[in-house]
Amino acid sequence: MKRTLRTAVVTAGALVAALGLPAGTAHADTTPRIDLRVLVVSDGGPSTDAIAAELAAAGTPYTLIDLTRPGRTVIDAGFLADTVDGRPRARFQAVVLPDDNPFPAGSAEMAALAAYERAYDIPQVDAYTYARPEAGLQYPLPGGYAGSLDGKEAQVTAAGRAGPFGYLDGAVPFEDNDPAVGESYAYLSKPAAGADFTPYVEAPIPGQSAKGTLVGEYRHDGRRELVVTFVYNRYQQQFRLLARGIVEWMTGGVHLGAARNYFSVHVDDVFAADDRWNSTLDCTPGDVDCADPNATPDPIRMTAADVDHAVAWQHDKDFTLDFAYNGAGSVDHRQDHDGADALADRLIARRGEFRWINHTYSHPFLGCVQDTTVVPWKCATDADGSTRWTSRAEISDEIATNRVWGHGAGLPLHDDELVTGEHSGTKVLPQQPEDNPNLALALDDNDIAWLGSDNSREPAQRRVGPATTVPRYPMNVFYNAGRAAEQVDEYNWIYTSRAQGGSGICEDNPQTTTCLPAPLDPATGYAAHIVPLETRIALGHVLSNDPKPHFIHQSNLAEDRIAYPVLDGVLDGYRALFAEDTPLLNPRMRDIGAELRRRAAWQAALRGGEVTAYRIGTAVTVDAPDGLAVTATLPAGTTLAGAAFGEAYAGAVSGWTPATGTPLAFTLPPSATVPAADDTDGPAPATGPAPRTRVPAGVTDPVGHSADG
């Protein structure tokens, strides 16, 4: 079949006839308006939900129709298209279906969708479908494959690299996190005879030298479909790698919202020391919950050699760490060592190699006054029963003194950033269910705009007085471990059952923690289990368009330097998967906070129906409230008011621009045409419903996602 390229210009008369619009709706300008919104039709399965989650995270508007919901909206010509000011309008720029035809035989809804897609050149994504001739493929059996791809590696084809998946280097590895659980299922086959089908992602067919298609484009009877023949959920790496390309294919690279890949790492307690885990006591002497009166704290502190190693590592990885520092750590060390502090001397000499964040002067707990006579601790109270709080003056002094110390040492600071010790001052459940009321006042005293918070406790950004929180992901590389054996011992204590000698914490909290089947080997457990797991969790955040920083502690850069294998796994793993035009972004805390705040405002505007966007030919119009930061992804060469728009990323340009009270008018480059299917053969007869597809339990219940152990 002949393949053609054309812009989305269809005669008004043809549209009127195809869609059953009233006579007289033709407009002098025959170019239709295409609203920048995606229609997602879900059957409740994980694959359509994954695509919807990708759109939501990027800030790309979509309408969801749940086929399992009684009383749902019926899809017909009037729902899909109408006219605005006499111009034909397509209300959706793309359609996502659970498979190539999720409707009953003879469905009027499928017929309406097919007519709509044909009339307006609207692409359709088959989120997970059976390989069959109706989808442009041969049946998988015999000759192909139907089964698991756990641990296998697919590849982006040359056409995929030249098309929607050009941001990838080529490899698409499939996860295999638990050999006892099926985590994938796929149908591998070749294009059907005579089909206009272009494979974009392929995998070897087991037992053969040939490859079968996992993702490809099928052009037929005036329509285009992206056919996906493997199942996935929103967390799996194979989907996360391909999600951007699926969205770019369905939108033609023209859509609201943007997605990038981020990784920032905060190292807490720099200049200070962290108390070591005691493998005999199963606690950390010096901590409030380690009540043995004879226990002596054993400090872990970086050395000058550790600083040199960190600098060399950063240069090798082209990556910058954020050091959250406590000036009192150096002052105290000098007092105890006749004025000497080799670590501080080296850090200050090489201060320009790192970014720096105020972490308070002496790292005290800044919430309620802690009553440590009980385990766990509780908030101390006055005689009238009211909570005793750390005072405004104490909090302010900790912030200001550390700032003065940092400036005296020449640290390149941004004075509006702060991370309190243990994120204290903000609420800590269950003991302290509210913020210290003095915290907001002290933040105001010191002009703090960005306050670090613990994402495991508070994943949503919020205001604390004048400051906005920046949720940080805790990495499961423990603050009280400088050696791999210590990390494994504490890990076994937390993540094994009481019957196996552990604390039973994992048994008591099954919703958030998964117990290990057996304790890890102290000699091999860190490299064999903890490093791969923590790498996968962190890389999952990176691939999810999530800019939130991760945090570790200075102890993890000392002694065995146990943080580096995890960080290497994330950075090296990323660079092995992505092309050079899709770099890993490494923003500092205040920039992350601003990004999260813009996103929150944008999402609120979308939910409130305050944003309207559409495309007419090469003109894109976005109408949004005055002052709202608008985000979009558009082809390279797009202009706004005559100036180049956005920054280059993953083969497109994207960014934020403020609405000004009048609609924003973007001009796409002349090359931004819409590829259309060859319709010389006329419409094909209606096809029957797609066969049911297999969804293993490990896909609907993502293995290891919710567990940090």
Side-chain angles (χ1 to χ4, degrees):
M1 297 177 69
K2 179 182 177 183
R3 177 172 296 170
T4 61
L5 291 177
R6 64 184 180 188
T7 58
V9 177
V10 185
T11 66
L15 287 169
V16 170
L19 297 173
L21 298 175
T25 57
H27 191 275
D29 182 348
T30 60
T31 307
R33 163 178 159 168
I34 312 294
D35 282 3
L36 300 189
R37 174 174 286 270
V38 176
L39 175 62
V40 178
V41 180
S42 173
D43 62 355
S47 297
T48 46
D49 288 353
I51 294 175
E54 173 70 12
L55 297 171
T60 302
Y62 69 95
T63 295
L64 179 68
I65 293 182
D66 185 349
L67 296 178
T68 67
R69 184 174 180 177
R72 65 170 177 84
T73 299
V74 175
I75 301 171
D76 57 20
F79 171 74
L80 296 168
D82 57 13
T83 60
V84 175
D85 297 328
R87 182 189 299 277
R89 174 178 74 154
R91 298 182 62 210
F92 307 100
Q93 65 181 131
V95 174
V96 178
L97 298 182
D99 50 52
D100 63 280
N101 184 356
F103 300 98
S107 167
E109 290 184 290
M110 190 67 230
L113 280 167
Y116 172 73
E117 293 167 8
R118 190 177 300 115
Y120 286 101
D121 288 333
I122 301 299
Q124 173 183 308
V125 174
D126 305 335
Y128 169 46
T129 196
Y130 188 73
R132 61 180 187 146
E134 291 87 341
L137 294 167
Q138 299 175 21
Y139 291 111
L141 299 173
Y145 174 75
S148 171
L149 290 184
D150 290 6
K152 306 299 183 183
E153 183 171 282
Q155 287 287 329
V156 179
T157 66
R161 292 285 304 277
F165 302 103
Y167 57 91
L168 294 173
D169 254 354
V172 182
F174 276 61
E175 294 182 345
D176 186 13
N177 302 317
D178 186 344
V181 177
E183 299 165 36
S184 68
Y185 199 85
Y187 303 100
L188 293 173
S189 67
K190 301 172 184 176
D196 185 0
F197 193 101
T198 303
Y200 288 149
V201 182
E202 296 178 325
I205 298 175
Q208 301 184 31
S209 60
K211 295 181 178 180
T213 292
L214 288 170
V215 183
E217 180 174 340
Y218 179 37
R219 298 169 179 252
H220 61 106
D221 52 280
R223 298 167 59 208
R224 293 179 293 126
E225 294 180 48
L226 190 71
V227 179
V228 183
T229 60
F230 73 95
V231 67
Y232 46 87
N233 64 51
R234 70 180 70 180
Y235 305 110
Q236 290 179 304
Q237 185 181 94
Q238 53 265 33
F239 170 71
R240 294 256 44 95
L241 292 173
L242 298 173
R244 176 187 300 276
I246 292 172
V247 172
E248 296 310 302
W249 181 89
M250 75 166 84
T251 62
V254 178
H255 61 87
L256 296 179
R260 299 189 179 191
N261 300 329
Y262 305 84
F263 190 49
S264 297
V265 178
H266 295 181
V267 183
D268 289 3
D269 305 347
V270 173
F271 294 111
D274 292 292
D275 293 330
R276 191 185 308 275
W277 171 258
N278 186 301
S279 299
T280 301
L281 299 174
D282 291 322
C283 66
T284 305
D287 281 7
V288 296
D289 60 352
C290 194
D292 190 322
N294 300 314
T296 301
D298 181 10
I300 308 167
R301 191 171 189 253
M302 290 173 66
T303 66
D306 294 326
V307 177
D308 292 339
H309 183 86
V311 171
W313 179 85
Q314 287 190 153
H315 289 176
D316 181 58
K317 300 299 180 182
D318 190 23
F319 187 83
T320 302
L321 296 167
D322 294 86
F323 278 2
Y325 74 97
N326 309 103
S330 177
V331 173
D332 293 345
H333 190 90
R334 291 189 192 278
Q335 289 176 349
D336 295 339
H337 296 83
D338 296 323
D341 188 356
L343 169 62
D345 292 343
R346 191 64 56 86
L347 280 168
I348 292 169
R350 312 203 73 169
R351 57 189 176 271
E353 299 282 356
F354 309 102
R355 296 190 295 240
W356 297 87
I357 303 171
N358 188 340
H359 194 34
T360 71
Y361 185 62
S362 61
H363 201 285
F365 188 83
L366 300 179
C368 63
V369 175
Q370 292 176 298
D371 178 355
T372 60
T373 62
V374 294
V375 177
W377 62 269
K378 65 180 181 178
C379 286
T381 58
D382 291 324
D384 62 359
S386 61
T387 300
R388 294 173 58 193
W389 298 105
T390 302
S391 72
R392 173 181 181 176
E394 290 175 279
I395 299 172
S396 185
D397 185 63
E398 280 288 330
I399 298 169
T401 303
N402 204 48
R403 177 185 291 166
V404 169
W405 187 93
H407 283 303
L411 303 184
L413 295 174
H414 282 283
D415 287 343
D416 58 354
E417 297 177 332
L418 176 70
V419 177
T420 58
E422 302 178 57
H423 305 102
S424 60
T426 56
K427 57 187 176 182
V428 181
L429 297 177
Q431 295 103 318
Q432 184 192 311
E434 59 182 324
D435 294 343
N436 181 344
N438 297 316
L439 176 64
L441 301 173
L443 297 178
D444 196 26
D445 292 339
N446 291 275
D447 298 321
I448 300 300
W450 305 106
L451 177 67
S453 63
D454 186 341
N455 187 81
S456 66
R457 297 191 329 222
E458 292 191 86
Q461 200 176 31
R462 68 180 177 95
R463 298 280 290 184
V464 180
T468 303
T469 61
V470 180
R472 309 189 306 161
Y473 285 112
M475 299 188 83
N476 228 9
V477 182
F478 301 138
Y479 79 96
N480 50 5
R483 303 184 183 109
E486 297 162 355
Q487 167 81 15
V488 173
D489 185 84
E490 184 175 2
Y491 202 91
N492 283 338
W493 174 250
I494 296 171
Y495 294 112
T496 57
S497 65
R498 293 178 181 87
Q500 293 178 322
S503 63
I505 292 173
C506 59
E507 296 173 285
D508 299 339
N509 300 276
Q511 288 77 27
T512 59
T513 308
T514 301
C515 288
L516 292 167
L520 301 179
D521 186 325
T524 62
Y526 187 66
H529 179 87
I530 299 174
V531 169
L533 176 58
E534 293 309 308
T535 297
R536 177 168 59 84
I537 291 171
L539 189 56
H541 299 153
V542 169
L543 302 184
S544 299
N545 186 27
D546 188 346
K548 293 176 183 176
H550 295 71
F551 72 95
I552 54 175
H553 294 79
Q554 62 84 33
S555 53
N556 308 140
L557 304 186
E559 299 183 344
D560 287 355
R561 299 169 178 165
I562 60 177
Y564 289 109
V566 176
L567 303 183
D568 287 342
V570 175
L571 295 173
D572 295 345
Y574 182 88
R575 285 163 185 159
L577 294 169
F578 286 85
E580 290 185 2
D581 70 351
T582 312
L584 186 58
L585 304 183
N586 175 222
R588 69 173 300 133
M589 181 169 153
R590 67 204 310 253
D591 297 326
I592 294 168
E595 172 72 13
L596 293 172
R597 190 163 65 183
R598 282 193 300 255
R599 290 187 187 190
W602 175 251
Q603 296 282 8
L606 292 181
R607 289 192 300 271
E610 300 177 76
V611 180
T612 301
Y614 56 88
R615 173 181 180 176
I616 299 175
T618 58
V620 171
T621 301
V622 181
D623 194 359
D626 187 12
L628 177 71
V630 171
T631 179
T633 299
L634 301 166
T638 296
T639 60
L640 174 62
F645 166 74
E647 298 176 347
Y649 195 82
V653 293
S654 56
W656 295 89
T657 190
T660 59
T662 58
L664 299 171
F666 299 87
T667 301
L668 307 179
S671 59
T673 58
V674 178
D678 179 13
D679 58 0
T680 55
D681 295 337
T687 61
R692 291 183 60 85
T693 48
R694 181 175 173 183
V695 180
V699 178
T700 55
D701 181 18
V703 176
H705 170 70
S706 62
D708 289 337

